Amino acid sequence: MADILSVLSEYIITGDPLILGAQISIVFASIAIVAGLTYFKKWKWLFSEWISTVDHKRIGVMYMISAIIMLFRGGVDALMIRTQLALPGMKFLDAQHYNEVFSTHGVIMIIFMAMPFLLGLMNLVMPLQIGARDVAFPVLNNLSFWAFFLGAMLFNISFVVGGSPDAGWTNYATLATTPFNAGYGINFYLLGIQLSGVGTLMTGINFIVTIMRMRTKGMTLLNMPMFTWTTLITSLIIILAFPVLTIALALLTFDRLFGSAFFTLAQGGMPMMWANLFWVWGHPEVYIVAIPAFGIFSEIIATFSKKRLFGYNAMVGSILAISFLSFLVWVHHFFTMGNGAAVNSFFSITTMLISIPTGVKIFNWLFTMYKGRISFTTPMIWAIAFIPNFVIGGVTGVMLAMAAADYQYHNTYFLVSHFHYVLIAATVFACFAGFIYWYPLMFGHKLNERIGRWFFWFFMIGFNVCFFPQYFLGLNGMPRRIYTYSAADGWTTLNFVSSIGALLMAIGFLILAYNIYYSFRYSKREVSGDAWGQGRTLEWATTSAMPPFYNFAVEPEWNDHDDFYAQKEKNKVRQYTEKDYKPIHMPSNTYFGIAISFCMFIGAAGLVFYWYWLGIVGLIGIFACMIYRSFTSDDGYYVSVEEIAAIENKIKADQAADKGGEA
């Protein structure tokens, strides 16, 4: 027994009451989930309707549920950070635990929250906007989600088993190489992100093929909805940037697991090469999570201003320019790390240049609202709030782009405030806005507007109270990543105010959670596909609020940017009857995605703990799944005209009953 306890103590984290609480919570939550599924006899439903699904809408919902869970986890990390820094000399976290918390906070929020949230919205909306039945490769879509999800789970179990990574979200060598960091935490970082990144890369390929090959009749590239354009450009950045991260993670994994020396200085490696490879991926990654946000705000602002998006072609051009320049600015992340004046000057100029197409978009949105008949719905107020907050982040970004000035700002809380003003104001605000805006497509009802406004004001005010003081903390010399400070430093008041802001943001998140529950219980169920009554694009042209699994009974036609809105204005929305229906080909559900992803998870988990035999078992499982798939023929199935007619007639009957009830 003593030997067993000794072995377990090597892998299971003990001695910290916070981690013990997390371990107990995980056990009880797992028991509750298993008990609930068993009691309500939902195991078959879970596997047949969700785990094996290839329906892009359900996969999008699973991405967003995962992202909201990660938002909670990353938010708890943020509260722990702000609690530790609220007052001088706090003992809430020790130095090691603080390093782990801020390291995992960054990774979770960017890679496991922001990206999957946006990928979820893309999965949900983009195929509908182009009039497609599904994505080009539905099985690959299922595989992509499970690779992401199990990669996220592998990373997240590190804080209760094995130990969390503690070298920052950037994981700089030599902090992450074996001579200086021999634990398991960095392995969790490398292999969890690697597995998740494989899923993201496959998603990028899938979306590009879908948009290029599956647009409905009449939809050209230059009359696609703006969110579809941003999905296309984001996917292109993904397939160009993520291979760099994949290689960097693989090289550092070889250093740690097999004794190579790509980044190990003592053996002739180049630690700065990691910084270059990381940020060659890392800065395009900022735009991977920002460009879709621009598409979301474009859709919302045009919809609730009741106007066509101003300067559509200029908007497309500016986003293309941003995507190109995003690969030419990575050195601004380490101006202070020994580059020459010429190198710093070049990257300083390219960084400033990127503000020009960004400014173009700001004016596009402002002119769209100008003289519009604005409806101040909750998605719209998130979109309006984004503009001034993002501008603050952008202006301070130009300040950081000046290489000489960056020597003062670098690695201070000025930088921390800047990237939170960019990423929260753009990405998180957009996630909330898009989630609320397209919520009827997922669940058939809108979120409560009154509660939604409470959520907005708590979160938006809390955000500014939290991060605006950090600009002044940075100018007063407070370095990032420190876990304590003294009263003599003069940072107490601003840190305390900042921590209050973090608490307000947490209250806002709880209000969102309550709104989801309240709306599920009490909100009116929508029967029309155009849930807001102001839809301009094809996702609102479906016959029901929650589109049927085949999306459209008849393939729609598209002739202009806002063709659906134009049809409604002219009262020319086409109504289809049974004689218009034809059999629809649909893909079959599959367990291939979760099977091969689980094999990758098993192999990666083995390598985390240097159990090479388990890594080999996982590799064998991967090849077995691939061979099985190669010899399996599944051409999907056809939805008969009779089934389509039955579904559409039921939708029409529900709509007629709803109108009768209102009368």
Side-chain angles (χ1 to χ4, degrees):
M1 179 61 72
D3 292 339
I4 294 174
L5 291 175
S6 176
V7 171
L8 289 176
S9 66
E10 181 181 350
Y11 302 110
I12 298 176
I13 308 301
T14 59
D16 189 308
L18 293 173
I19 294 177
L20 177 62
Q23 291 167 335
I24 294 171
S25 299
I26 290 170
V27 170
F28 279 104
S30 301
I31 293 172
I33 291 169
V34 171
L37 289 169
T38 304
Y39 179 79
F40 292 106
K41 298 179 181 179
K42 290 292 185 180
W43 285 105
K44 182 179 179 181
W45 167 81
L46 177 65
F47 276 85
S48 62
E49 298 293 327
W50 291 95
I51 289 177
S52 64
T53 187
V54 294
D55 185 337
H56 68 96
K57 299 180 290 296
R58 292 196 171 193
I59 290 173
V61 170
M62 291 194 294
Y63 266 114
M64 281 183 270
I65 291 172
S66 304
I68 290 171
I69 294 171
M70 291 298 99
L71 177 60
F72 173 77
R73 163 74 207 279
V76 170
D77 285 344
L79 286 175
M80 294 167 69
I81 293 169
R82 289 314 319 164
T83 300
Q84 172 63 23
L85 295 176
L87 295 170
M90 290 284 284
K91 303 295 184 183
F92 181 68
L93 301 173
D94 60 32
Q96 176 60 26
H97 197 177
Y98 184 86
N99 287 347
E100 294 173 1
V101 168
F102 84 73
S103 298
T104 56
H105 168 74
V107 174
I108 287 169
M109 286 302 204
I110 293 173
I111 298 177
F112 299 133
M113 191 289 289
M115 283 188 57
F117 210 129
L118 293 167
L119 291 176
L121 290 170
M122 293 177 193
N123 257 295
L124 173 70
V125 176
M126 179 271 290
L128 290 167
Q129 285 196 334
I130 65 172
R133 305 285 184 204
D134 208 310
V135 294
F137 307 117
V139 174
L140 188 67
N141 202 22
N142 177 279
L143 167 57
S144 298
F145 169 75
W146 288 113
F148 147 74
F149 181 78
L150 292 175
M153 292 303 100
L154 180 63
F155 181 90
N156 274 273
I157 62 173
S158 64
F159 81 106
V160 293
V161 179
S164 296
D166 58 358
W169 91 276
T170 55
N171 204 52
Y172 282 152
T174 58
L175 292 175
T177 50
T178 303
F180 299 97
N181 202 323
Y184 303 116
I186 303 300
N187 295 348
F188 277 111
Y189 175 101
L190 296 171
L191 292 156
I193 296 177
Q194 186 76 283
L195 178 52
S196 180
V198 167
T200 302
L201 182 58
M202 291 187 291
T203 299
I205 296 168
N206 205 349
F207 284 172
I208 287 177
V209 177
T210 301
I211 294 170
M212 298 305 295
R213 301 294 299 171
M214 298 183 69
R215 298 191 306 277
T216 195
K217 182 180 179 180
M219 184 174 287
T220 65
L221 285 175
L222 284 178
N223 66 16
M224 293 193 307
M226 188 53 61
F227 182 66
T228 299
W229 253 115
T230 57
T231 299
L232 175 62
I233 295 169
T234 300
S235 301
L236 180 62
I237 298 175
I238 285 173
I239 66 171
L240 293 174
F242 262 81
V244 179
L245 177 67
T246 300
I247 294 301
L249 292 169
L251 294 178
L252 189 49
T253 302
F254 279 124
D255 276 11
R256 291 184 59 84
L257 268 60
F258 305 112
S260 59
F262 294 105
F263 306 114
T264 307
L265 185 62
Q267 296 172 260
M270 298 177 62
M272 273 303 299
M273 184 56 68
W274 169 268
N276 278 276
L277 291 174
F278 182 88
W279 286 114
V280 166
W281 162 81
H283 202 83
E285 165 66 13
V286 171
Y287 291 98
I288 287 170
V289 297
I291 286 176
F294 301 153
I296 292 168
F297 290 129
S298 297
E299 300 290 348
I300 291 171
I301 289 172
T303 296
F304 295 113
S305 297
K306 302 179 183 66
K307 283 179 61 182
R308 174 178 291 206
L309 183 67
F310 180 88
Y312 174 94
N313 291 342
M315 180 72 83
V316 172
S318 67
I319 294 173
L320 287 168
I322 287 172
S323 65
F324 173 73
L325 289 170
S326 70
F327 287 92
L328 300 176
V329 298
W330 79 90
V331 171
H332 73 218
H333 291 279
F334 43 90
F335 278 144
T336 61
M337 294 187 185
N339 304 306
V343 172
N344 278 358
S345 296
F346 173 82
F347 285 96
S348 180
I349 292 168
T350 56
T351 303
M352 293 181 191
L353 281 176
I354 213 165
S355 66
I356 297 173
T358 304
V360 168
K361 294 193 303 302
I362 297 294
F363 285 105
N364 285 132
W365 294 317
L366 291 174
F367 285 130
T368 301
M369 288 187 284
Y370 179 64
K371 291 189 177 180
R373 293 170 292 155
I374 297 175
S375 299
F376 290 97
T377 60
T378 45
M380 187 63 173
I381 59 177
W382 280 107
I384 293 171
F386 147 76
I387 294 175
N389 286 288
F390 183 72
V391 167
I392 292 171
V395 169
T396 53
V398 174
M399 294 170 65
L400 287 159
M402 296 181 285
D406 187 66
Y407 274 74
Q408 174 66 34
Y409 306 134
H410 189 70
N411 273 350
T412 70
Y413 263 79
F414 188 93
L415 175 61
V416 173
S417 185
H418 156 71
F419 67 68
H420 281 89
Y421 261 91
V422 171
L423 291 177
I424 294 181
T427 304
V428 179
F429 282 21
C431 288
F432 293 150
F435 181 70
I436 298 166
Y437 180 55
W438 285 306
Y439 196 83
L441 296 179
M442 296 182 276
F443 301 109
H445 62 272
K446 295 197 285 271
L447 290 172
N448 182 274
E449 285 282 291
R450 180 176 57 84
I451 301 173
R453 283 178 166 78
W454 279 102
F455 162 48
F456 166 78
W457 286 112
F458 265 93
F459 194 94
M460 198 274 291
I461 293 173
F463 162 67
N464 281 279
V465 171
C466 181
F467 292 105
F468 198 73
Q470 292 179 13
Y471 281 123
F472 300 97
L473 284 169
L475 293 174
N476 287 339
M478 183 175 176
R480 63 192 297 198
R481 304 190 181 102
I482 62 168
Y483 84 103
T484 190
Y485 57 94
S486 70
D489 292 320
W491 303 326
T492 304
T493 301
L494 291 175
N495 268 305
F496 188 75
V497 170
S498 182
S499 297
I500 291 174
L503 182 60
L504 291 175
M505 293 167 73
I507 294 171
F509 177 81
L510 294 177
I511 294 172
L512 171 64
Y514 174 71
N515 197 4
I516 292 171
Y517 162 77
Y518 180 90
S519 301
F520 174 76
R521 289 286 303 275
Y522 303 112
S523 284
K524 174 183 177 294
R525 268 41 188 176
E526 304 290 336
V527 293
S528 167
D530 189 8
W532 293 96
Q534 302 175 40
R536 308 180 75 84
T537 44
L538 281 177
E539 75 269 28
W540 305 112
T542 57
T543 50
S544 60
M546 294 174 64
F549 63 92
Y550 49 75
N551 290 347
F552 301 94
V554 177
E555 184 179 357
E557 294 185 13
W558 190 254
N559 300 301
D560 201 359
H561 300 153
D562 300 320
D563 200 29
F564 177 56
Y565 186 81
Q567 290 175 28
K568 291 189 298 180
E569 289 289 292
K570 298 173 184 176
N571 200 25
K572 291 184 177 180
V573 178
R574 185 176 176 186
Q575 301 297 319
Y576 297 102
T577 61
E578 191 168 343
K579 70 177 187 299
D580 299 307
Y581 302 153
K582 296 178 181 178
I584 297 172
H585 180 261
M586 295 298 295
S588 302
N589 286 357
T590 180
Y591 290 104
F592 172 74
I594 192 168
I596 194 169
S597 298
F598 184 72
C599 292
M600 289 190 282
F601 175 85
I602 291 296
L607 294 178
V608 164
F609 296 106
Y610 302 95
W611 299 338
Y612 299 105
W613 62 270
L614 189 57
I616 294 171
V617 169
L619 185 63
I620 293 171
I622 293 168
F623 279 108
C625 290
M626 294 170 68
I627 293 168
Y628 174 79
R629 176 70 182 171
S630 298
F631 288 95
T632 302
S633 178
D634 183 359
D635 296 325
Y637 65 97
Y638 280 91
V639 186
S640 68
V641 170
E642 292 74 20
E643 184 178 355
I644 298 169
I647 293 171
E648 296 296 317
N649 288 337
K650 184 180 184 306
I651 291 170
K652 291 174 183 177
D654 291 342
Q655 291 171 346
D658 182 72
K659 288 180 180 178
E662 289 178 356

